[in-house]
């Protein structure tokens, strides 16, 4: 049975933009400043170019698999076993990432606004949003992205233009910061910023045509590069190095600086609004795709019954890190080393093998909602 | 029907959960601190003064009368000795009926005595806490911060926070103090390209002009311009005893010394933060008289740094323009042929002043408060190379070459001065 839900390149691009750029509202770009110092923007440029090259290669390889996602391709290559292996890799990663991101968003919320509320109470609001979004399905999520992205962008632009009086270009010097070794060596792992590209490779059954997949990818990456670069440059020009390594929530700290007269100040409330929308959507994407992958792994007829158990698992795992600092360390120091493989290595391997494997296409494994 | 029930249920849940959550705080249950004073304690490490608003005394400022907000009644102060800023606030919470909230604090004042020992331990608390705003002003007071805050009397403002906001931003039209915000102070503490300065505050040394006249320190002093003062030394009397004038120079987080209001103007001209202010200069033709100019920065100043071994050569180019405000001698300087005399004299005066100021920062304080390091750093490729050069260590050897270009643009409302005729014949 063919998937009846379809959406265009703009919706898919919107999802991709939010998935990649949502971390701007978390720690980003502090890890880049920690790694490359004043040259964080060069590191960002470098990984952006790598991401574009990587995506170009992947999308060329994808031509043969129009309308099929990574799970279908795994199934095509190695049958149920490879589909299961791919599924388990994706599922575990999604669940762990979702748990950590949920914990971070909730903890951040607690630090900046609800510092008396219990963390579980703050998490509850995110969880309810995630459950509702996942129940309503892919179409609701992507359509909401199409509406929310312009609103988030406006909030983002207000913050970045609002701190313009604090820009100081000399904060970008010395030009090579902590040195080429850090920028181009260990800096490579910042490619993980683009790991959410994996969601795009799960969307072909919804996007249908290869042309739309390609366009959605390029649009999504281009906008994400723009937002990420703007974020790095603005943050560096305002805070400089080494002060830029201190901020726990860089974009929030930027928003706190905005002060035009007695009226236009304390605009972090704008930031909070954009931030919560972006967070809710991002977490909904991960939850939905976790259920989607699980459904495909076992060729289940429905995915909705999986949502609640997944949420319980995510909620429990999110409490495993003993504190916020551990969550941040897990995300920025450990996940970074392998998350990039999700967006680039696994798809390339599957697509390359898939080019040479000639098997009769199996039965459609995707079921409708 | 189910949809309507669902909708009502959602609205009900949202209303109950969002309006009465754990963090709800009624505005009426909070005490809003507007200024924080930090002194060295006698019994405990810190003497903390909190100046807070008294809302019931502030009402009635707008609309149909009610007049002013009651001046000093609109604010109240409390001082405690404690171990840290947060513990002090907690202590005050113990005896002030409403919970202390510093999210509207607009200024933090440190005493010189405390600042000499380093203020980072207090600023870190402000930086980490979400209530203190990065845009709040920071000042160092000559004498105790407690005394300075107790002498502040916002007579003209209904809202006492407005008093601080206006007085600390008056540098834009006086040039007497720097723009000293918490954010830039914290940033400069940690960076390697410039050292911080904050505004210098003080309380009038004497209450009446007669007392100033009797003070031998003031009686011996030659006449000076309005800028060449430190806070507390302005010869004045009246209701307002608090003064903001000059720079408090820091090396890292330690207070190194003070500079006058005139040097503050020089600082603003070199860093590009200068907007406009009056310049009182001796008349080139009749030195007993003054010419008063309203000076503006016409172009952003250009600084160039050449590194010659251990000796940085720093070139500064300042471009100013001015309007005549007063020519006491009545000499016809408005005539384009005479204009050059004033322009050259003013340029030369400011050049000497700025050079003297820069040499003081370099040789006396050894602090790059004008952030010339931002130019020097461009000569290095990596942070390691820059750190190895040790800019702050080299700044004391710096040589300065200052170029000032002053252009007078407008004569005010008079195009020429006609001589006054007297019975003695002009």
């Amino acid at each position: 049975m063919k998937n009846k839900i379809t959406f265009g390149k703009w919706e898919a691009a919107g999802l991709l933009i939010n998935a990649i750029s949502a971390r701007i509202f978390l720690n980003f770009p502090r890890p880049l400043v920690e790694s490359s110092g004043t040259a964080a923007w060069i590191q960002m440029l470098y990984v952006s170019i790598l991401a574009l090259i990587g995506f170009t290669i992947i999308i060329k390889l994808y031509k043969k698999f129009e309308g099929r996602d990574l799970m279908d391709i795994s199934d095509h290559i190695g049958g149920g076993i490879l589909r299961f292996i791919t599924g388990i890799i994706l599922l575990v990663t999604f669940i762990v990432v979702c748990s950590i991101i949920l914990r971070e968003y909730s903890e951040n919320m607690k630090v900046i606004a609800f510092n008396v509320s219990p963390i579980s109470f703050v998490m509850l609001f995110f969880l309810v949003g995630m459950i509702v979004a996942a129940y309503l399905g892919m179409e609701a999520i992507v359509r909401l992205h199409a509406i929310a992205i312009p609103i988030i962008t406006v909030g983002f632009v207000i913050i970045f233009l609002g701190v313009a009086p604090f820009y100081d270009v000399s904060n970008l010097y010395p030009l090579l910061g902590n040195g080429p070794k850090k920028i181009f060596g260990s800096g490579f792992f910042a490619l993980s910023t683009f790991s959410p590209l994996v969601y795009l490779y799960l969307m072909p059954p919804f996007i249908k045509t290869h042309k739309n997949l390609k366009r959605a990818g390029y649009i999504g990456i281009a906008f994400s590069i723009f937002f990420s670069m703007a974020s790095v440059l603005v943050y560096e020009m305002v805070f400089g190095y080494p002060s830029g390594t201190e901020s726990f929530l860089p974009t929030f700290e930027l928003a706190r600086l905005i002060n035009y007269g007695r009226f236009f100040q304390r605009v972090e409330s704008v930031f909070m609004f954009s931030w919560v929308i972006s967070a809710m959507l991002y977490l909904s994407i991960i939850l939905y795709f976790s259920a989607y992958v699980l459904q495909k792994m076992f060729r289940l007829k429905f995915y909705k019954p999986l949502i609640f158990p997944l949420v319980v698992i995510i909620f429990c795992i999110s409490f495993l890190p003993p504190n916020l600092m551990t969550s941040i360390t897990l995300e920025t120091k450990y996940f970074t080393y392998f998350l990039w493989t999700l967006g680039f290595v696994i798809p390339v391997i599957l697509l390359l093998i898939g080019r040479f494997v000639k098997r009769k296409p199996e039965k459609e494994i995707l079921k409708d909602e | 029907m189910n949809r309507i029930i669902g909708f009502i249920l959602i609205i009900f849940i949202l209303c109950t959960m969002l309006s009465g959550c754990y963090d709800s705080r009624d505005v009426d249950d909070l005490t809003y601190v507007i200024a924080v004073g930090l002194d060295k304690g006698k019994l405990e490490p810190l003497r903390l003064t909190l100046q807070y608003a008294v809302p019931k005394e502030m009402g009635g400022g707008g609309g149909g009368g009610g007049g002013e907000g009651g001046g000093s009644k609109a604010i109240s102060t409390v001082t405690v000795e404690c171990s840290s800023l947060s513990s002090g606030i907690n202590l005050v919470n113990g005896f002030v009926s409403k919970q202390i909230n510093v999210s509207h604090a607009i200024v933090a004042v440190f005493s010189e005595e405390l600042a000499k020992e380093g203020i980072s331990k207090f600023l870190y608390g402000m930086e980490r806490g979400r209530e203190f705003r990065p845009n709040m002003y920071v000042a160092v007071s000559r004498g105790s911060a407690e005394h300075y805050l107790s002498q502040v009397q916002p007579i003209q403002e209904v809202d006492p926070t407005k008093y601080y906001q206006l007085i600390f931003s008056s540098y834009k039209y006086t040039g007497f103090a720097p723009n000293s915000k918490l954010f830039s102070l914290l940033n400069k503490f940690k960076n390697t390209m410039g050292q911080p300065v904050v505004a210098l505050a003080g309380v009038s040394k004497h209450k009446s002009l007669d007392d100033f006249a009797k003070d031998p320190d003031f009686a011996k002093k030659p006449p000076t311009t309005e800028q060449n003062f430190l806070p507390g030394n302005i010869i004045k009397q009246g209701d307002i005893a608090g003064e903001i004038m000059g720079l408090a120079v820091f090396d890292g987080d330690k207070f190194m010394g003070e500079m006058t209001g005139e040097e503050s103007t020089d600082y603003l001209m070199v860093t590009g933060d200068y907007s406009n202010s009056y310049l009182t200069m001796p008349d080139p033709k009749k030195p007993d008289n003054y010419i008063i100019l309203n000076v503006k920065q016409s172009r952003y100043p250009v600084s160039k740094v050449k590194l010659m071994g251990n000796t940085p050569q720093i070139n500064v180019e300042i471009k100013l323009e001015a309007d005549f405000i007063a020519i006491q001698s009545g000499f016809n300087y408005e005539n384009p042929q005479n204009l050059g005399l004033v322009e050259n004299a003013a340029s030369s005066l400011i050049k000497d002043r700025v050079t003297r100021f820069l040499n003081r920062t370099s040789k006396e304080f050894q602090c790059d408060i004008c952030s010339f390091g931002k130019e020097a750093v461009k000569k290095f490729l990596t942070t390691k190379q820059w750190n190895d050069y040790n800019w702050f260590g080299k700044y004391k050897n710096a040589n300065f070459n200052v170029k000032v270009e002053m252009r007078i643009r407008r004569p005010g409302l008079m195009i020429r001065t006609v001589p006054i005729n007297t019975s003695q014949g002009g």
Side-chain angles (χ1 to χ4, degrees):
Chain A
M1 199 164 82
K2 284 273 174 194
N3 187 17
K4 283 178 191 162
I5 303 166
T6 55
F7 46 79
K9 55 183 182 292
W10 290 110
E11 283 88 349
L15 187 145
L16 199 58
I17 292 167
N18 189 50
I20 298 174
S21 311
R23 62 192 63 223
I24 290 173
F25 296 110
L26 283 176
N27 307 302
F28 194 82
R30 196 198 57 243
L32 297 189
V33 180
E34 281 171 8
S35 154
S36 300
T38 51
W41 67 277
I42 299 177
Q43 189 190 349
M44 187 62 223
L45 191 67
Y46 162 63
V47 293
S48 300
I49 293 167
L50 288 182
L52 275 172
I53 294 169
F55 180 72
T56 307
I57 294 167
I58 290 169
I59 210 68
K60 279 215 180 332
L61 294 171
Y62 227 114
K63 207 165 184 179
K64 196 183 158 192
F65 301 97
E66 190 171 67
R68 300 167 89 180
D69 62 28
L70 288 182
M71 297 295 284
D72 299 327
I73 297 165
S74 307
D75 192 70
H76 167 75
I77 301 164
I81 294 171
L82 190 60
R83 189 184 71 234
F84 181 80
I85 293 169
T86 310
I88 206 84
I89 292 170
L90 295 179
L91 185 67
V92 169
T93 316
F94 289 170
I95 289 176
V96 174
V97 168
C98 189
S99 307
I100 299 298
I101 299 286
L102 171 69
R103 174 73 181 268
E104 281 188 30
Y105 274 125
S106 310
E107 290 274 14
N108 297 347
M109 204 70 168
K110 193 170 152 56
V111 169
I112 63 177
F114 302 111
N115 54 354
V116 179
S117 305
I119 183 71
S120 49
F121 178 76
V122 182
M123 268 187 193
L124 199 71
F125 289 99
F126 284 111
L127 290 171
V128 170
M130 287 160 65
I131 293 169
V132 171
Y135 261 100
L136 291 175
M138 190 62 183
E139 193 174 359
I141 293 173
V142 289
R143 302 259 184 256
L144 207 56
H145 270 92
I147 300 166
I149 291 297
I151 299 169
I152 298 169
T153 307
V154 169
F156 189 77
V157 170
I158 287 174
I159 294 168
F160 285 8
L161 291 182
V163 292
F166 294 92
Y167 291 174
D168 186 348
V169 180
S170 56
N171 281 342
L172 302 177
Y173 292 93
L175 219 53
L176 290 182
N178 292 343
K181 229 177 177 179
K182 289 268 182 187
I183 304 168
F184 303 110
S186 53
F188 168 83
F189 294 106
L191 188 60
S192 290
T193 309
F194 294 93
S195 63
L197 273 170
V198 71
Y199 303 122
L200 185 71
Y201 310 137
L202 291 171
M203 281 195 276
F206 303 100
I207 302 175
K208 304 285 185 198
T209 65
H210 179 264
K211 196 177 153 192
N212 273 356
L213 181 75
K214 187 176 164 182
R215 282 187 181 176
Y218 279 119
I219 293 168
I221 293 174
F223 274 91
S224 305
I225 290 174
F226 171 76
F227 290 136
S228 305
M229 278 300 287
S231 150
V232 177
L233 280 169
V234 168
Y235 182 62
E236 278 209 288
M237 285 197 290
V238 173
F239 281 91
Y241 181 81
S243 297
T245 59
E246 285 185 332
S247 290
F248 153 55
L249 283 171
T251 314
F252 176 71
E253 291 287 354
L254 286 174
R256 265 161 60 92
L257 289 175
I258 299 172
N259 192 328
Y260 290 96
R262 286 168 65 79
F263 177 72
F264 198 73
Q265 49 180 280
R266 296 167 197 263
V267 291
E268 57 264 33
S269 45
V270 175
F271 165 83
M272 291 269 284
F273 184 64
S274 320
W275 183 41
V276 170
I277 299 176
S278 172
M280 200 75 94
L281 289 173
Y282 182 41
L283 291 167
S284 305
I285 299 166
I286 313 181
L287 178 63
Y288 175 80
F289 278 116
S290 304
Y292 176 82
V293 168
L294 196 55
Q295 181 200 13
K296 282 209 154 182
M297 267 170 75
F298 298 105
R299 298 188 175 214
L300 302 173
K301 198 173 179 187
F302 303 107
Y303 79 92
K304 285 180 183 172
L306 303 171
I307 292 172
F308 197 72
L310 278 172
V311 164
V312 173
I313 294 169
I314 288 167
F315 183 67
C316 293
I317 294 178
S318 68
F319 280 107
L320 287 181
N323 47 50
L324 175 59
M325 290 79 82
T326 312
S327 305
I328 294 172
T329 311
L330 277 174
E331 193 218 335
T332 58
K333 293 264 186 312
Y334 299 108
F335 290 1
T336 313
Y337 288 112
F338 70 87
L339 272 184
W340 65 279
T341 58
L342 215 63
F344 297 94
V345 178
I346 294 174
V348 166
I349 293 172
L350 290 176
L351 291 165
L352 268 176
I353 300 170
R355 278 179 84 88
F356 304 106
V357 174
K358 288 197 174 155
R359 278 180 62 173
K360 207 175 154 190
E362 292 204 4
K363 271 197 294 179
E364 271 296 328
I365 55 169
L366 183 83
K367 300 290 173 196
D368 277 340
E369 292 168 80
Chain B
M1 191 61 192
N2 280 348
R3 282 190 171 199
I4 295 169
I5 293 169
F7 181 74
I8 293 169
L9 208 65
I10 288 171
I11 296 292
F12 177 75
I13 292 168
L14 285 177
C15 287
T16 48
M17 289 189 85
L18 295 179
S19 60
C21 69
Y22 296 86
D23 286 272
S24 67
R25 282 194 293 183
D26 200 320
V27 177
D28 196 38
D29 295 342
L30 300 172
T31 297
Y32 288 101
V33 172
I34 52 175
V36 182
L38 298 104
D39 291 294
K40 203 174 166 189
K42 288 204 164 53
L43 302 168
E44 295 282 342
L46 177 69
R47 178 173 290 187
L48 176 73
T49 303
L50 299 179
Q51 187 175 66
Y52 55 91
V54 183
K56 65 174 184 176
E57 299 289 341
M58 288 164 63
E68 292 181 338
S72 57
K73 283 182 190 169
I75 50 174
S76 183
T77 52
V78 61
T79 304
V80 288
E81 293 227 345
C82 50
S83 54
S84 71
L85 183 56
S86 309
S87 63
I89 290 171
N90 212 15
L91 263 178
V92 178
N93 271 328
F95 58 85
V96 171
S97 60
K98 299 176 177 186
Q99 190 185 351
I100 295 290
N101 184 293
V102 288
S103 62
H104 287 265
I106 197 159
V107 60
V109 183
F110 293 88
S111 69
E112 276 188 354
E113 190 189 8
L114 190 71
K116 275 177 190 160
E117 292 178 3
I119 57 173
S120 58
K121 55 185 170 184
F122 306 109
L123 290 173
Y124 284 147
M126 292 183 181
E127 189 183 15
R128 197 177 292 273
R130 72 188 177 112
E131 282 192 355
F132 284 103
R133 309 285 304 176
N135 289 309
M136 71 188 290
Y137 294 99
V138 180
V140 165
S141 71
R142 305 180 84 204
S144 83
E146 180 193 357
H147 184 50
Y148 170 73
L149 291 180
S150 69
Q151 294 300 309
V152 168
Q153 292 181 347
I155 288 164
Q156 293 187 79
E157 290 80 22
V158 174
D159 175 1
T161 59
K162 197 172 177 184
Y163 167 80
Y164 287 113
Q165 193 161 21
L166 292 176
I167 199 80
F168 277 95
S169 56
S170 65
Y171 76 92
K172 288 175 189 164
Y173 52 85
T174 64
F176 291 161
N179 181 14
S180 59
K181 297 256 176 108
L182 177 63
F183 166 73
S184 82
L185 180 67
L186 287 167
N187 225 354
K188 282 191 176 174
F189 273 163
K190 294 157 194 168
N191 85 25
T192 50
M193 294 179 269
Q195 281 148 307
V197 282
V198 300
L200 205 55
V203 177
S204 206
K205 199 173 176 186
H206 299 296
K207 286 195 171 158
S208 75
L209 293 177
D210 290 339
D211 290 342
F212 274 105
K214 284 176 204 157
D215 188 330
D217 290 348
F218 288 86
K220 283 179 204 161
K221 234 172 123 175
T224 184
T225 62
E226 77 276 11
Q227 294 169 315
N228 205 8
F229 286 106
L230 285 167
N233 292 353
I234 299 173
I235 303 164
K236 72 171 187 7
Q237 67 179 27
D239 290 333
I240 302 165
E243 295 164 13
I244 298 290
M245 180 168 275
L247 306 171
V249 177
F250 279 82
D251 181 8
D253 72 330
K254 288 191 174 61
F255 172 73
M256 297 301 287
E258 42 191 35
M259 294 182 122
T260 64
E262 185 178 278
E263 286 165 315
S264 172
T265 309
D266 301 335
Y267 166 81
L268 295 172
M269 282 179 182
V270 173
T271 54
D273 286 338
Y274 182 69
S275 175
N276 69 297
S277 70
Y278 286 177
L279 172 74
T280 304
M281 56 177 279
D283 191 314
K285 290 269 186 198
K286 297 176 181 174
D288 289 347
N289 290 294
Y290 289 117
I291 293 175
I292 295 99
L293 302 171
N294 186 17
V295 181
K296 303 174 192 76
Q297 195 135 32
S298 60
R299 295 277 187 282
Y300 199 79
V302 178
S303 304
K304 296 233 162 71
V305 178
K306 280 183 197 161
L307 303 176
M308 293 177 296
N310 286 334
T311 313
Q313 172 65 42
I314 299 171
N315 300 324
V316 183
E317 200 177 323
I318 299 168
K319 289 190 175 174
L320 305 165
E321 60 178 46
D323 301 341
F324 280 119
I325 295 294
I327 305 168
Q328 289 184 342
S329 65
F331 185 81
N332 198 6
Y333 286 115
E334 301 92 334
N335 185 334
Q337 285 168 347
N338 298 332
L339 212 53
L341 281 172
V342 183
E343 287 176 345
N344 291 340
S347 300
S348 161
L349 177 85
I350 294 170
K351 181 188 165 179
D352 293 346
R353 247 174 57 176
V354 171
T355 308
R356 202 164 49 239
F357 155 75
L358 290 174
N359 277 321
R360 224 182 141 206
T361 65
S362 161
K363 308 294 179 290
E364 187 180 330
F365 297 115
Q366 301 178 7
C367 293
D368 176 19
I369 58 171
C370 296
S371 298
F372 291 116
K374 287 182 176 183
E375 285 303 312
V377 74
K378 292 176 183 171
K379 315 230 174 272
F380 297 85
L381 260 184
T382 65
T383 307
K384 191 182 178 302
Q385 289 170 0
W386 166 247
N387 289 340
D388 289 346
Y389 181 74
N390 182 20
W391 168 253
F392 289 161
K394 305 284 190 301
Y395 184 67
K396 60 177 183 282
N397 307 322
N399 290 326
F400 299 96
N401 180 22
V402 180
K403 196 176 157 195
V404 178
E405 191 184 300
M406 164 78 87
R407 288 281 169 267
I408 293 175
R409 302 287 183 200
R410 286 155 220 96
L413 291 175
M414 291 166 69
I415 196 73
R416 68 177 59 80
T417 315
V418 176
I420 294 169
N421 287 313
T422 65
S423 55
Q424 272 104 41

